[in-house]
Amino acid sequence: MKITLKEVEHVARLARLELTTGEKERMRAQIDSILSYIDKLNELDTSAVEPTSHVLPMTNVFREDEVMPSLSQEEVLVNAPDRHELFFRVPRILEE
Amino acid sequence: MRQTGMSSSSGSRESWRSNAVDLTQLTIHEMQAMLATRDASATELVRSVLDRITRLDGQVMAYTTLTEERALEQAGAVDRLLAVGDPLPPLAGIPLAIKDVICTKGVRTTCASKILEPYEPPYDATVIRRLKAQEAVLLGKTNMDEFAMGSSTENSAFFRTRNPWALDHVPGGSSGGSAAAVAADLCAAALGSDTGGSIRQPASFCGIAGLKPTYGRVSRYGLVAFASSLDQIGPFAKDIRDCAILLHAIAGHDPRDSTSANLPVPDYSSTLTGDVRGVRIGIPDDYFIEGMDPEVEAAVWTAIRTLKELGATQEKVSLPHTPYAIATYYIVATAEASSNLGRYDGVKYGYRTTRPADLLEMYQRSRREGFGPEVKRRIMLGTYALSAGYYDAYYLKAQKVRTLIRRDFERAFEQCDVIATPTSPTPPFKFGEKTEDPLQMYLSDIFTISVNLAGLPGISIPCGFTKAGLPIGLQLIGKPFDEATILKVAHAYEQATDWHRLKPPL
């Protein structure tokens, strides 16, 4: 077994996903079979190989810090599931 | 009709000038010609396609959102420009469809997910701005696998898109809606996105042309992110000339995407000379694997023979790390996806669960109720691969194997100019055939995935049909930023064959 139910629960917590008991077991079995397949990467000796994160040579892009038009607050808030005036409203985080 | 035969592009010219012409079947360049000679107005073109959508999209189910009014308004604006007599930009009045993963200002952009179902972006993606700057007509948004994760469009949270060639078969995915819309003449051409084959495989399944440009050729600004080091936007079209026209319209550097390459964009249409004499076509032995459908294999070899008859030469090349591509992809892509999809937290946009007790419950339940099973599976796999203790064993290992896959292609391209392969090992499959086993679905992407890992351009073009009448696609892979050569070869092949002219029996 590549992944345990306990690990599935841990990863679900990290990913902020709630899973039912049935989903957890199904997910465990499916991820287990995918990880077993992925194990074939260990057939390759990569000790002397550099990792590729991007195929293009990446350089940082600099520009002058100029004031440019941007979205209005109203445009930004128009898709909010819940708002209060010009703010996103979320459940209380701080205790009173 | 279903056999290779010589024909010329001018052959169709007379037929579309006759009164019997079906405007919906025209390519972009044929529509351009009709607009230029005033044989049709933009409003006539757009209305005919909208009428066909009304008649047939109930069967095909390609569109998630239709913007009929906006489309007719834009067509009217183009007709007013035509009346003034000014020269028009190439895409003026051309009715196009857009995969529902590309942001369109004020028009719902759902990614076929419940979590984004009501989302109306306050801005346009760069590719959309470029199409609008050319006065193109946008008909609506097309169905897809949720967040572009899938190979059959069955992972859409809304409905299943059907293959116009056989309605009980999948159109491929993830850009299944765009591919089906082009194949069924429900638009002139379309945009899709390709992270592991999501343009090329549905193009192959629907019998049309689909191009994934080199990573960095087209701006990703406004493309909802799946795997940022692999994603690329590209065109679906009825022929190669249209692919060239659309690619030219959307390609080029964009200050809003730091991964878009600052390189000149060639005039792709002018490279379609039909002359492929001396072009070296590489054939990788490693791709003609066990398990490939014999009809697919036969069609691809016949296509390679046709290219040789046109003067191209055949070279043997080797891509020895091909058997590791899928494993590498499903670590790299899911790791990037798990990070990109962290933004769906129910705060600023998208779905939020009702009456959560606290913030954590709001996140967990919004994501639980908003994401479908495949998206959850990939978020879980990616989170696992990036988590403490597994990062080196999975993510870093996969990035290293990615280097080996890239080097395979660099070596192969020392011996050839273009690599030819099947696009998919099988013809389109039936609904439900692969949904129970995610790994089987992943394995169907074997020939397209390496191209994304290496960042190369790839195109799928129709190269035949099975006895059952299902389309087969030929994939041509090019050197980085050399879309011109794969377009040239694809065009020469197309000129020598009739596959792209065949229409599904709708």
Side-chain angles (χ1 to χ4, degrees):
Chain A
M1 195 171 11
K2 308 288 299 174
I3 184 166
T4 63
L5 210 56
K6 223 176 146 64
E7 284 176 301
V8 167
E9 286 169 354
H10 172 64
V11 172
R13 238 183 340 268
L14 290 177
R16 299 289 184 263
L17 274 175
E18 196 179 88
L19 302 176
T20 64
T21 313
E23 276 176 329
K24 281 180 202 164
E25 185 37 55
R26 202 162 45 246
M27 192 76 86
R28 197 209 64 72
Q30 285 171 336
I31 292 180
D32 199 69
S33 100
I34 297 166
L35 289 175
S36 302
Y37 175 78
I38 284 166
D39 250 1
K40 72 189 293 161
L41 295 183
N42 293 320
E43 294 166 10
L44 298 170
D45 177 8
T46 52
S47 50
V49 180
E50 286 295 308
T52 295
S53 60
H54 263 87
V55 287
L56 297 174
M58 297 299 250
T59 48
N60 203 358
V61 179
F62 292 97
R63 64 166 173 81
E64 289 307 310
D65 186 15
E66 290 163 352
V67 178
M68 286 188 284
S70 61
L71 297 175
S72 68
Q73 279 174 301
E74 198 48 51
E75 284 172 303
V76 169
L77 282 155
V78 77
N79 281 291
D82 195 6
R83 64 185 278 190
H84 174 71
E85 292 168 7
L86 289 177
F87 300 95
F88 298 106
R89 193 209 298 265
V90 294
R92 180 184 294 278
I93 300 167
L94 303 171
E95 302 296 323
E96 285 196 52
Chain B
M1 188 65 177
R2 281 182 189 166
Q3 47 184 265
T4 307
M6 299 298 285
S7 67
S8 71
S9 62
S10 58
S12 61
R13 227 182 154 79
E14 287 313 307
S15 62
W16 58 251
R17 278 179 179 281
S18 74
N19 285 333
V21 62
D22 179 351
L23 297 177
T24 66
Q25 293 197 357
L26 301 181
T27 61
I28 294 177
H29 55 95
E30 287 166 349
M31 287 187 181
Q32 287 172 339
M34 285 204 100
L35 289 170
T37 54
R38 306 292 192 275
D39 283 320
S41 68
T43 303
E44 281 172 305
L45 288 177
V46 170
R47 208 179 275 287
S48 68
V49 176
L50 287 171
D51 287 348
R52 187 171 169 87
I53 292 171
T54 308
R55 220 152 30 84
L56 290 177
D57 201 40
Q59 286 177 57
V60 179
M61 315 272 279
Y63 284 92
T64 49
T65 301
L66 272 173
T67 51
E68 219 167 331
E69 264 175 49
R70 282 175 189 243
L72 286 168
E73 251 170 56
Q74 171 61 15
V78 171
D79 284 332
R80 286 192 291 280
L81 290 173
L82 271 170
V84 177
D86 290 342
L88 292 178
L91 293 176
I94 307 296
L96 302 175
I98 307 294
K99 185 179 182 180
D100 212 2
V101 69
I102 298 171
C103 285
T104 42
K105 187 174 181 174
V107 174
R108 227 159 58 103
T109 299
T110 68
C111 291
S113 179
K114 276 196 236 165
I115 215 157
L116 278 178
E117 193 166 355
Y119 178 60
E120 286 186 4
Y123 67 98
D124 275 326
T126 295
V127 293
I128 299 297
R129 287 163 66 119
R130 290 190 173 165
L131 295 182
K132 286 184 176 174
Q134 289 211 7
E135 305 289 348
V137 176
L138 307 185
L139 300 170
K141 309 297 288 288
T142 55
N143 199 23
M144 53 186 280
D145 286 299
E146 183 178 3
F147 283 103
M149 296 177 184
S151 313
S152 67
T153 312
E154 288 168 291
N155 293 334
S156 166
F158 306 140
F159 50 82
R160 303 195 302 201
T161 297
R162 302 193 182 114
N163 191 316
W165 290 93
L167 296 173
D168 55 346
H169 285 64
V170 303
S174 69
S175 314
S178 284
V182 173
D185 293 319
L186 304 179
C187 60
L191 292 186
S193 66
D194 189 317
T195 305
S198 284
I199 291 175
R200 291 158 289 155
Q201 186 255 23
S204 165
F205 278 20
C206 291
I208 57 165
L211 170 71
K212 182 201 94 74
T214 310
Y215 184 82
R217 180 54 100 186
V218 176
S219 168
R220 292 182 296 112
Y221 179 78
L223 170 66
V224 178
F226 161 14
S228 305
S229 80
L230 304 165
D231 296 340
Q232 195 58 193
I233 297 172
F236 285 98
K238 296 175 190 178
D239 69 9
I240 300 302
R241 187 164 297 279
D242 281 6
C243 265
I245 293 169
L246 256 188
L247 177 62
H248 190 263
I250 60 174
H253 180 246
D254 176 15
R256 288 182 156 129
D257 174 6
S258 64
T259 64
S260 76
N262 203 345
L263 292 170
V265 177
D267 176 9
Y268 297 109
S269 299
S270 70
T271 64
L272 307 180
T273 57
D275 183 2
V276 292
R277 281 173 300 175
V279 173
R280 298 169 302 165
I281 313 276
I283 313 295
D285 286 352
D286 325 74
Y287 274 44
F288 290 86
I289 48 161
E290 226 178 296
M292 191 193 302
D293 184 279
E295 287 185 285
V296 170
E297 185 167 357
V300 169
W301 281 116
T302 306
I304 292 165
R305 240 187 342 268
T306 303
L307 285 169
K308 282 161 69 180
E309 281 161 21
L310 294 169
T313 64
Q314 181 181 336
E315 310 292 331
K316 202 172 141 173
V317 297
S318 178
L319 301 168
H321 293 96
T322 300
Y324 303 97
I326 289 176
T328 304
Y329 176 85
Y330 279 96
I331 292 296
V332 171
T334 59
E336 294 183 15
S338 72
S339 162
N340 274 325
L341 271 61
R343 75 191 62 178
Y344 302 101
D345 57 6
V347 175
K348 295 187 285 298
Y349 47 77
Y351 174 80
R352 181 189 292 190
T353 190
T354 46
R355 272 177 263 161
D358 56 24
L359 195 67
L360 185 65
E361 192 179 295
M362 185 186 85
Y363 294 151
Q364 289 181 330
R365 290 213 343 241
S366 299
R367 289 163 67 79
R368 172 207 166 73
E369 292 158 17
F371 290 134
E374 180 61 26
V375 175
K376 284 180 189 163
R377 197 152 43 233
R378 296 204 195 188
I379 290 174
M380 290 287 291
L381 186 58
T383 306
Y384 177 78
L386 290 175
S387 65
Y390 296 103
Y391 182 92
D392 285 5
Y394 289 106
Y395 188 59
L396 193 63
K397 181 80 188 180
Q399 286 192 318
K400 288 179 169 185
V401 180
R402 187 176 182 184
T403 304
L404 298 175
I405 291 167
R406 243 177 78 191
R407 285 187 196 154
D408 279 358
F409 280 102
E410 282 167 12
R411 278 197 205 104
F413 278 122
E414 286 168 10
Q415 292 151 40
C416 65
D417 306 300
V418 167
I419 294 173
T421 78
T423 305
S424 168
T426 66
F429 43 89
K430 285 190 173 165
F431 289 107
E433 215 170 281
K434 299 191 183 198
T435 42
E436 284 313 302
D437 185 351
L439 191 56
Q440 277 312 308
M441 189 73 93
Y442 298 173
L443 293 175
S444 71
D445 298 333
I446 174 88
F447 299 137
T448 47
I449 266 177
S450 311
V451 177
N452 298 78
L453 289 169
L456 303 169
I459 192 167
S460 179
I461 52 171
C463 74
F465 286 80
T466 64
K467 286 192 198 79
L470 298 168
I472 300 170
L474 169 74
Q475 176 176 236
L476 299 170
I477 305 166
K479 295 176 185 173
F481 298 103
D482 192 15
E483 287 84 1
T485 300
I486 53 173
L487 285 167
K488 182 173 80 174
V489 174
H491 175 254
Y493 174 78
E494 189 182 77
Q495 293 306 297
T497 55
D498 270 334
W499 308 118
H500 65 292
R501 293 186 203 286
L502 301 182
K503 294 292 178 187
L506 283 170

